[in-house]
């Protein structure tokens, strides 16, 4: 919803990555870090987070062109990363996270 709203306003986020997707206590996702946002069509000031930005940004496709599709690509890359990491943790059988770290210390 937040990304669709941003795009409807003629803006792009410019740096969607797992570190910029925050969650409320109820588990609802929220977008953060709007420091790289720009108007649609502007040249990006920064290239976003490596591994999560659209390929045409990485290879330097030329001036201009911040488009909503690039944010959508970054959102999909973030979702894929979260899915892969969750699956890898489940497959390893190892506990992870703050609770696991606390248990390991006791």
């Amino acid at each position: 919803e937040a990304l669709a709203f941003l795009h409807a306003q003629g803006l792009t986020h410019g740096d969607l990555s797992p570190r910029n997707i925050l969650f409320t206590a109820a588990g609802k996702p929220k977008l953060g870090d709007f420091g790289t946002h720009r108007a649609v069509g502007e040249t990006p000031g920064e290239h976003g987070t490596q591994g999560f930005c659209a390929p045409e940004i990485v290879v330097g496709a030329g001036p201009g062109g911040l488009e909503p599709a690039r944010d959508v690509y970054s959102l999909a890359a973030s979702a894929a990363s979260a899915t892969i990491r969750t699956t890898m943790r489940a497959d390893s059988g190892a506990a992870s996270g703050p609770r696991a770290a606390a248990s390991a210390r006791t």
Side-chain angles (χ1 to χ4, degrees), residues 1-94:
E1 291 175 26
L3 193 55
F5 177 80
L6 191 66
H7 292 163
Q9 304 307 308
L11 300 171
T12 62
H13 186 281
D15 189 20
L16 274 174
S17 66
R19 71 181 178 164
N20 294 330
I21 302 171
L22 312 171
F23 291 88
T24 66
K28 184 174 181 174
K30 301 282 187 176
L31 291 181
D33 189 7
F34 288 90
T36 59
H37 81 283
R38 299 281 186 266
V40 170
E42 285 185 350
T43 301
E46 298 179 21
H47 296 294
T49 301
Q50 185 177 2
F52 298 97
C53 55
E56 62 271 19
I57 293 175
V58 175
V59 297
L66 264 183
E67 299 296 329
R70 293 183 179 180
D71 280 346
V72 173
Y73 179 94
S74 297
L75 183 61
S78 296
S81 175
T83 301
I84 291 167
R85 290 177 188 202
T86 301
T87 302
M88 288 174 62
R89 280 190 290 239
D91 288 346
S92 72

